[in-house]
Amino acid sequence: MPATDPLSQVFGALADPTRRAILARLSLGEASVGELAAPHEMSLAAVSKHIKVLESAGLIGRKKDAQFSYCTLVASPLKDLQGWLDAYRKFWDDNLDQFEAYLAELQRGDPSSKQ
């Protein structure tokens, strides 16, 4: 069953290294499907499937110009993803701060930190 909520679609799209490479290329500017396919050892049809996944997740936009199709990065779903990740940032920051304090106690030889 395919993911239907936007965040799951974004995570699914980002799960593949080829799709992440396509997004990295598009972060530099608009590119044709052929340009996006060039660095990958796969057919244009295979790259087109990756592009469709990214498009379904709302991460890229496409436009046609004569016989060529051009893609652009759409960053707004990445902002939504960042918002989701920020909710966990405090958790990780707090845990890393506690770990740092524990390591400092060990380095000082604080007997209360030994088990």
Side-chain angles (χ1 to χ4, degrees):
M1 179 176 194
T4 56
D5 69 284
L7 190 58
S8 293
Q9 287 184 317
V10 170
F11 272 117
L14 294 175
D16 186 275
T18 300
R19 292 192 288 264
R20 291 191 304 269
I22 290 169
L23 289 178
R25 168 53 189 87
L26 291 175
S27 72
L28 303 174
E30 180 180 88
S32 70
V33 173
E35 290 170 327
L36 294 174
H40 305 285
E41 293 183 17
M42 61 180 69
S43 67
L44 275 175
V47 171
S48 289
K49 286 182 182 180
H50 284 295
I51 289 170
K52 285 180 185 172
V53 171
L54 292 166
E55 194 172 24
S56 292
L59 290 165
I60 66 169
R62 259 207 288 202
K63 68 178 182 179
K64 285 227 178 225
D65 181 20
Q67 73 266 25
F68 297 104
S69 183
Y70 293 91
C71 300
T72 56
L73 178 65
V74 177
S76 55
L78 295 174
K79 282 181 154 183
D80 296 340
L81 177 64
Q82 183 64 48
W84 185 85
L85 291 170
D86 283 345
Y88 293 92
R89 185 178 311 278
K90 182 175 176 5
F91 170 78
W92 286 109
D93 287 347
D94 290 349
N95 279 311
L96 290 173
D97 288 346
Q98 290 173 7
F99 184 62
E100 186 177 7
Y102 174 71
L103 289 177
E105 288 174 9
L106 287 178
Q107 289 174 342
R108 285 193 309 266
D110 188 343
S112 67
S113 66
K114 294 184 179 162
Q115 307 253 340

